[in-house]
Amino acid sequence: MLKALPSLFPNLLGTPTGARVEFYDKFQREADGYDGDFMKTYAEDLDTTLIFVSTPPYTPRLLC
Amino acid sequence: MNHALLKIVASAALGNIPTGADAAFPQWNGPDSTTVHVQAILYSSLAASLLSAFIAMLGKQWLNRYAWVDMRGSIIDRSRHRQRKMDGMDTWHFDLVMECLPLMLQAALLLLGYALSNYLFSINNVVAGVMVGFTAFGLLFYFLIVSAATLSYNCPFQTPLSLVLRFLIHFDNEHKEYLKRFREWFWHFFSWGTWRQLQPNQGGNHSLGGFGRLDRNDSHTELPTANTFDQPTPLFDKVVDLDEYVMDSNCIAWMFEMSMDKDVIMAIMKFIPEIAWHAGIQTTPLQRVYDTLFECCDKSSGYPIVVPQSRNMAYLSAKALLHLIIQCKSIGDEYMLESISERHLIIGTKQHEDNQELESTLRIINQVLGDPKPIAWHGSSFTATHHAWMGHILLYHTWGVLKKGGVFPNDIKEFIQYSVKLQLPPLAPIVADCFFLIGFLLGISLHQDDLLAVDKRWVNA
């Protein structure tokens, strides 16, 4: 009996289905927005750090 | 200077006692000790700053690597790849490393302030006083905001140092409790009303010691990672790639955190039944899905009734919830269902007669969560898609019941009769599910993975 049964549960294959594609379409949009903000925030923080760091190297010369 | 001293000692040893200018004790002609001390601290400050710059540049490279799309393929593959990178960011605490940069700069600033204050004292006390005043003010301010942020998670002045302190305090509370004992002694010693007001609340989640409970995964429940109960030998080759489901579940968890949009939630609910929530998946959004279903209900009468405007959402949520519950039961994890079973209110008996697909799904949920009332199938009318999905769910449900030593449920027998007696011939998946159910009825035991097998023509034997 079992050998005669055809493929039963195509949804469990991991193959793209309507629900999967719809989900990942929305996921991609959400991820693009999030990643844009994520990159912008960290890039600004790092730029600020680099600007701040550029001052102290001159201070030891004050005492020489 | 050392050379001059050695010369004097050598001359004395040879019997030539130096006199006059030669005998004068050599004087240090380099920078004074204060300057050396100050220079050392200033160079420490400089080193800390340069190290910050080095890590900042590395951070830029890491960000570029994250943003770089290094994969071709479908939107699904790219999304999974992106989620893998985002999970890596969380796992390796990228945010913590980035927040350590300001900490190093703060240390560099502190060293600079100390060195300048020290140096200026040797020149002019008034000027040094101004410098010391500003440095002390900055230090005091920093100490106060770190203390406030450590004591209260709701304080907006959170810094990396306060987060590290909160983590250490939580770690101590979990293990040695040295700090707890010290705190008790401290509050006992300083028992004024003013000090009392600053005492951390022991019971709240947002207080000191409750830090570990502030988890981003509050809406998720831990799944076990191993399946311990005995099962019969699988009939089929295991061909399903379960890793993809792990990535899908991570994407769903992330989307639940990021979006409250109704369309997004509906897309998630539609997608959840497509995933096999196997034992290798660490988190499942069971609680969140359950809450979403009940948000679609009006509970003013003390009895949850689905609001007509929310029926689509309720149906999708109910399907997703039932799928998760059945799969959790299948992997032998009853523990995570306890919290839901305890607070579950029976929903949907006569209120949704005009929507039998929603009604049947809610009835199965009620039954799975403890309602002993059997489901009557005769006279029901479902779409073929819903019927096929429900047959698969009932197959899992029956498998779970029999696995625990229960008897074959009568309403499942009725479901088989109902399915094969339809006027139109049922779809192949429904027929297959009914055959499997009949197999159970005849006493044929199956491995859990057999229910997942892709192509049932490929039997091992």
Side-chain angles (χ1 to χ4, degrees):
Chain A
M1 176 190 76
L2 293 171
K3 285 183 180 178
L5 290 173
S7 178
L8 297 177
F9 310 115
N11 287 353
L12 294 171
L13 272 169
T15 50
T17 59
R20 189 181 295 270
V21 171
E22 184 185 343
F23 170 79
Y24 275 109
D25 186 49
K26 292 195 185 322
F27 178 87
Q28 188 68 40
R29 267 184 247 164
E30 198 75 29
D32 284 346
Y34 177 86
D35 288 348
D37 292 343
F38 177 83
M39 295 288 295
K40 192 179 167 191
T41 306
Y42 276 116
E44 283 175 358
D45 286 353
L46 291 174
D47 287 343
T48 307
T49 303
L50 288 170
I51 291 167
F52 191 82
V53 166
S54 65
T55 312
Y58 303 101
T59 49
R61 295 183 189 175
L62 294 173
L63 307 182
C64 293
Chain B
M1 190 172 76
N2 288 343
H3 179 72
L5 282 172
L6 282 172
K7 194 176 170 186
I8 292 171
V9 171
S11 299
L14 294 171
N16 300 325
I17 307 297
T19 55
D22 291 340
F25 194 79
Q27 296 295 314
W28 167 251
N29 54 3
D32 60 80
S33 62
T34 306
T35 305
V36 173
H37 180 67
V38 167
Q39 286 279 16
I41 295 170
L42 282 177
Y43 275 108
S44 303
S45 171
L46 173 63
S49 301
L50 290 178
L51 193 58
S52 301
F54 172 64
I55 297 175
M57 289 310 298
L58 281 177
K60 289 232 165 217
Q61 288 177 323
W62 297 331
L63 284 179
N64 286 339
R65 174 74 181 77
Y66 177 78
W68 185 41
V69 181
D70 53 349
M71 186 179 183
R72 297 180 190 281
S74 68
I75 191 170
I76 297 174
D77 294 334
R78 284 169 182 240
S79 298
R80 283 175 177 161
H81 185 63
R82 179 261 171 204
Q83 187 60 32
R84 197 171 285 122
K85 287 197 283 189
M86 176 51 75
D87 290 344
M89 289 268 187
D90 281 343
T91 307
W92 291 89
H93 300 288
F94 178 80
D95 52 344
L96 190 67
V97 173
M98 288 293 104
E99 285 187 4
C100 282
L101 282 178
L103 207 61
M104 293 174 69
L105 286 178
Q106 286 158 8
L109 191 61
L110 176 67
L111 289 170
L112 178 70
Y114 171 72
L116 282 180
S117 305
N118 202 345
Y119 178 68
L120 289 173
F121 258 121
S122 64
I123 297 174
N124 187 299
N125 283 352
V126 177
V127 180
V130 173
M131 191 67 210
V132 169
F134 275 103
T135 306
F137 175 75
L139 260 179
L140 182 66
F141 178 74
Y142 189 71
F143 174 76
L144 286 176
I145 60 166
V146 168
S147 303
T150 307
L151 289 171
S152 168
Y153 189 80
N154 293 331
C155 176
F157 310 123
Q158 295 293 334
T159 59
L161 184 59
S162 63
L163 292 173
V164 169
L165 287 174
R166 288 178 70 81
F167 172 77
L168 291 176
I169 290 168
H170 173 68
F171 185 78
D172 182 72
N173 285 345
E174 294 272 307
H175 297 87
K176 301 291 183 186
E177 298 192 340
Y178 290 135
L179 289 173
K180 187 182 174 188
R181 276 179 262 167
F182 173 74
R183 228 169 35 230
E184 285 169 359
W185 172 84
F186 182 84
W187 293 120
H188 177 72
F189 191 76
F190 296 99
S191 56
W192 290 276
T194 311
W195 289 100
R196 281 271 180 208
Q197 287 176 5
L198 291 172
Q199 187 172 8
N201 173 18
Q202 300 293 331
N205 277 353
H206 295 269
S207 65
L208 194 66
F211 179 58
R213 278 171 254 147
L214 290 167
D215 197 333
R216 287 199 313 154
N217 293 330
D218 272 352
S219 60
H220 298 83
T221 314
E222 292 291 322
L223 278 172
T225 53
N227 199 356
T228 53
F229 56 85
D230 293 330
Q231 291 194 30
T233 310
L235 287 171
F236 302 97
D237 289 325
K238 200 172 179 179
V239 291
V240 179
D241 182 7
L242 297 179
D243 287 343
E244 288 190 353
Y245 295 127
V246 176
M247 288 314 304
D248 289 339
S249 68
N250 289 346
C251 291
I252 285 177
W254 186 82
M255 280 288 269
F256 262 135
E257 282 176 20
M258 289 298 135
S259 182
M260 297 292 289
D261 184 71
K262 192 181 171 187
D263 289 341
V264 172
I265 301 293
M266 285 184 85
I268 294 173
M269 295 300 173
K270 271 187 210 172
F271 185 41
I272 283 175
E274 305 281 325
I275 297 172
W277 296 82
H278 57 83
I281 293 176
Q282 294 293 309
T283 58
T284 177
L286 188 71
Q287 193 69 48
R288 179 70 189 267
V289 174
Y290 185 80
D291 292 340
T292 305
L293 173 61
F294 269 75
E295 282 168 12
C296 302
C297 296
D298 175 20
K299 294 180 275 294
S300 58
S301 60
Y303 190 74
I305 299 168
V306 174
V307 179
Q309 294 83 353
S310 303
R311 282 192 175 181
N312 279 343
M313 178 66 93
Y315 174 60
L316 294 173
S317 306
K319 274 182 77 172
L321 178 65
L322 186 53
H323 182 82
L324 288 173
I325 291 172
I326 291 291
Q327 300 236 322
C328 287
K329 280 179 174 278
S330 295
I331 61 172
D333 183 24
E334 303 286 334
Y335 170 75
M336 64 181 300
L337 297 173
E338 281 178 10
S339 63
I340 287 181
S341 300
E342 282 169 7
R343 66 190 183 102
H344 177 66
L345 299 169
I346 304 298
I347 49 177
T349 51
K350 296 290 180 190
Q351 283 79 15
H352 316 294
E353 288 290 328
D354 55 332
N355 190 338
Q356 294 196 2
E357 295 181 352
L358 173 61
E359 176 72 15
S360 60
T361 311
L362 293 177
R363 282 188 176 190
I364 300 174
I365 289 175
N366 290 339
Q367 197 180 61
V368 169
L369 291 179
D371 184 13
K373 193 178 171 186
I375 303 169
W377 298 104
H378 287 295
S380 303
S381 175
F382 308 116
T383 60
T385 313
H386 179 78
H387 194 168
W389 171 80
M390 207 165 49
H392 192 69
I393 285 290
L394 291 176
L395 177 63
Y396 267 100
H397 176 45
T398 311
W399 183 83
V401 170
L402 297 177
K403 188 184 71 182
K404 288 198 293 186
V407 294
F408 196 95
N410 284 328
D411 51 358
I412 303 293
K413 291 177 192 169
E414 197 183 320
F415 174 79
I416 299 170
Q417 289 174 350
Y418 163 77
S419 299
V420 298
K421 283 181 181 174
L422 286 174
Q423 282 187 336
L424 291 172
L427 294 177
I430 302 172
V431 177
D433 285 331
C434 288
F435 273 132
F436 270 81
L437 286 168
I438 292 167
F440 287 149
L441 194 57
L442 295 173
I444 300 170
S445 58
L446 292 172
H447 188 276
Q448 175 192 347
D449 290 342
D450 292 339
L451 306 179
L452 276 173
V454 178
D455 190 337
K456 290 184 168 31
R457 287 169 298 186
W458 299 104
V459 184
N460 281 338

